[in-house]
Amino acid sequence: MSQWVRLCSIGEAPEEGKAMQVTTPEGVDVCLARHGGDLHALDNWCPHRRGPLGEGWVEGGAVVCPWHAWAFDLKTGVAHPPERAKVDVFPVKTEGEDVLVDLA
Ligand code: FES
């Protein structure tokens, strides 16, 4: 079952190649990033040492953790080799002026 929640307005969403951290009213921390014009939403907390992915940067279709540079594919959440880890990825959509994520 879907659970769409508002993350921010389109105007507040990150620019191309950037990421940001957004906390939903439910207290879920999301990394919102833009690549190729599309918005992507992932769990904000890096599985290595809980670095804040939303404070990282976008490179090669991945968000790079600002602490030790592990990179996670924006579409799948899978870490680039040689790391073996994965973060949750949430569906994203826009509705009117709002950016929504499905936390289900
Ligand atoms: S905490 Fe993210 S790479 Fe170490």
Side-chain angles (χ1 to χ4, degrees):
M1 200 163 101
S2 298
Q3 187 192 347
W4 290 99
V5 299
R6 182 184 184 276
L7 266 191
C8 61
S9 70
I10 290 175
E12 293 166 332
E15 298 170 11
E16 179 67 28
K18 299 261 169 64
M20 66 185 272
Q21 177 180 327
V22 189
T23 302
T24 70
E26 294 75 12
V28 178
D29 298 318
V30 174
C31 165
L32 183 66
R34 191 186 294 272
H35 175 66
D38 296 325
L39 289 169
H40 301 272
L42 305 89
D43 180 1
N44 187 63
W45 302 113
C46 177
H48 179 218
R49 299 270 172 84
R50 286 188 59 79
L53 295 180
E55 293 180 21
W57 62 94
V58 175
E59 194 176 290
V63 62
V64 182
C65 179
W67 285 8
H68 313 97
W70 287 22
F72 297 90
D73 186 282
L74 288 169
K75 290 184 178 162
T76 64
V78 174
H80 285 185
E83 316 309 343
R84 301 181 67 178
K86 185 178 184 303
V87 292
D88 287 337
V89 174
F90 307 112
V92 186
K93 69 178 178 182
T94 56
E95 224 172 64
E97 287 300 307
D98 297 325
V99 177
L100 309 174
V101 289
D102 182 3
L103 298 178

